[in-house]
Amino acid sequence: MWKITDVQATDGLITSAKYYVQIESDGHSADTEGYWHFIEPSLKTPFDQVTEETVAQWIQNESNGAIEKRLQDQIAALAAAKRVVAPWLPQTFSIGDTHET
């Protein structure tokens, strides 16, 4: 899911955009946000016809999919990791828990 939350423009030419991206897979999710400054902004679409999807596609194209790839790598790491309860949170026991010594 891509969201464009802000754009900056000069003379009707979008030069940068703030984005938020979330990817979900196998019960895990990863998200990120940032600013994308276009390397070579060009006016291919009249400013008043630009959509959120258009700007998101420009970022995806210019980044060569690197943003989504990093999020997919994070999800893969989450899926491979063993979940534990953080030591500062209440420790609970449920039937089926195993205790390793």
Side-chain angles (χ1 to χ4, degrees):
M1 168 187 65
W2 277 81
K3 292 206 175 279
I4 304 301
T5 59
D6 192 20
V7 295
Q8 293 77 43
T10 302
D11 298 326
L13 178 65
I14 295 175
T15 56
S16 61
K18 183 175 182 184
Y19 62 86
Y20 171 82
V21 184
Q22 180 182 38
I23 293 179
E24 296 182 15
S25 178
D26 299 326
H28 297 284
S29 68
D31 59 30
T32 189
E33 66 180 342
Y35 283 93
W36 188 267
H37 301 280
F38 294 102
I39 296 170
E40 293 184 29
S42 61
L43 190 58
K44 297 176 185 169
T45 305
F47 185 81
D48 62 347
Q49 295 177 20
V50 172
T51 65
E52 181 177 28
E53 292 78 19
T54 302
V55 176
Q57 189 63 55
W58 291 345
I59 296 170
Q60 291 170 338
N61 291 345
E62 205 170 278
S63 71
N64 292 319
I67 296 168
E68 293 96 337
K69 172 77 170 94
R70 281 182 282 180
L71 292 174
Q72 290 167 351
D73 290 347
Q74 289 176 19
I75 288 174
L78 285 171
K82 180 180 176 186
R83 275 193 87 132
V84 296
V85 177
W88 58 87
L89 296 175
Q91 303 297 307
T92 59
F93 174 79
S94 63
I95 296 175
D97 284 350
T98 59
H99 178 60
E100 297 178 12
T101 55

